Amino acid sequence: MSAPPRLFVEPDLEAGIDVPLSADQSHYVLNVMRLETGDSVLLFNGRHGEWQASVGVASKRNASVVPSRQTRPQSAPPDLWLLFAPIKRQRIDLMVEKAAELGVRRLQPVMTERTHVERVNGDRLRAHAIEAAEQCGLLSVPDVGAPQPLASVLTDWPGDRRLLFCDEQGPAPPVLEALRDRARQPWAVLVGPEGGFSASERDLLLALPAAVPVSLGPRILRADTAAVAALALWQAMLGDWT
Ligand code: SAM
């Protein structure tokens, strides 16, 4: 028997309450998964863990679900952010999906001098993050911040957070060497645009005490590949893969 579908919902979760589903979720549950009243789904809202629930009222277009018991308590992913310069649509969607799967808590688009993407559709990125969380058994969905200029993000950089600066122009130490013997504290990973960081941006980054410049090897990786590689290595060294 296939696993019940997992759905991210906003309302609080407790036994016996009626949780209405959105139009898209109702379509997915009723028409795609062809579930009927009484069939099982799993719910999570990023606050109250994961709950077993059953399809309650189902009309042609609208469904609601009723939680019955908590199946997993809420837990928080490691305190890891991904800062990324927006790239082309398909690649940015893929990067957001992979970063969510890899357990980031926050996705922060940063506008850089060589960013050629005018607009970032935050709602679409959030929808991709929710879908990744639903499919990968996550208990929370990463926040998606509104795009900000890199310089202002660095000016207000939080004192307790380290910044893993993926610096293909270097010289920078190999990432595993740079992460060895580091404290477990809040971190962020930064990847640049397809055109790379400008000289003045690199100066700003190298002057930031919290920044840890790293090399991801001798090949120039596409930004989305660099993000996945850096996040995976951070999780392996300092995250919840250890
Ligand atoms: N400026 C580069 C160029 O020569 O065209 C390409 C930039 S790369 C496509 C996009 C971003 O991925 C970079 O700004 C950097 O953050 C990261 N990146 C790619 N390859 C890397 C490497 N070998 N080491 C560290 N960071 C890398």
Side-chain angles (χ1 to χ4, degrees):
M1 197 168 78
S2 63
R6 291 183 86 244
L7 301 170
F8 174 75
V9 293
E10 299 287 355
D12 289 352
L13 293 173
E14 57 185 271
I17 59 166
D18 196 57
V19 178
L21 296 182
S22 69
D24 288 350
Q25 288 176 323
S26 296
H27 168 69
Y28 174 67
V29 163
L30 299 174
N31 307 323
V32 180
M33 301 304 286
R34 299 196 171 286
L35 299 186
E36 294 165 358
T37 301
D39 286 345
S40 286
V41 297
L42 291 171
L43 305 177
F44 67 106
N45 62 5
R47 303 184 303 282
H48 301 126
E50 182 188 74
W51 284 70
Q52 168 125 14
S54 53
V55 175
V57 184
S59 70
K60 227 170 168 351
R61 291 176 187 286
N62 293 304
S64 67
V65 288
V66 181
S68 52
R69 69 183 178 86
Q70 188 187 54
T71 46
R72 292 161 64 197
Q74 187 63 37
S75 62
D79 195 344
L80 177 65
W81 298 354
L82 174 64
L83 272 62
F84 59 96
I87 50 180
K88 291 203 188 73
R89 178 175 174 145
Q90 243 182 331
R91 287 187 171 274
I92 204 173
D93 295 350
L94 192 71
M95 181 156 69
V96 162
E97 189 190 304
K98 300 304 160 199
E101 284 180 44
L102 287 162
V104 301
R105 259 194 215 182
R106 183 176 176 78
L107 293 155
Q108 178 60 59
V110 287
M111 307 311 272
T112 64
E113 287 173 33
R114 295 179 186 154
T115 299
H116 301 307
V117 174
E118 300 295 319
R119 228 177 65 75
V120 174
N121 181 331
D123 293 342
R124 197 188 75 242
L125 298 188
R126 181 159 165 77
H128 279 284
I130 289 173
E131 198 182 328
E134 288 173 337
Q135 287 173 7
C136 296
L138 304 186
L139 290 172
S140 50
V141 174
D143 299 330
V144 179
Q148 290 185 49
L150 176 65
S152 61
V153 171
L154 298 181
T155 308
D156 309 329
W157 192 254
D160 67 339
R161 187 173 296 276
R162 282 270 182 203
L163 178 62
L164 192 78
F165 162 32
C166 297
D167 183 15
E168 84 285 358
Q169 296 172 48
V175 57
L176 289 185
E177 191 184 300
L179 286 176
R180 198 161 289 127
D181 307 326
R182 290 278 177 184
R184 284 176 189 274
Q185 62 184 99
W187 280 75
V189 165
L190 169 66
V191 290
E194 293 305 347
F197 294 105
S198 69
S200 57
E201 286 165 342
R202 287 193 70 249
D203 293 345
L204 265 182
L205 284 158
L206 296 172
L208 187 76
V212 178
V214 300
S215 165
L216 297 173
R219 286 167 293 281
I220 299 290
L221 309 173
R222 305 288 306 255
D224 49 329
T225 315
V228 171
L231 291 171
L233 291 166
W234 184 89
Q235 286 289 17
M237 288 294 280
L238 292 172
D240 57 12
W241 292 5
T242 55

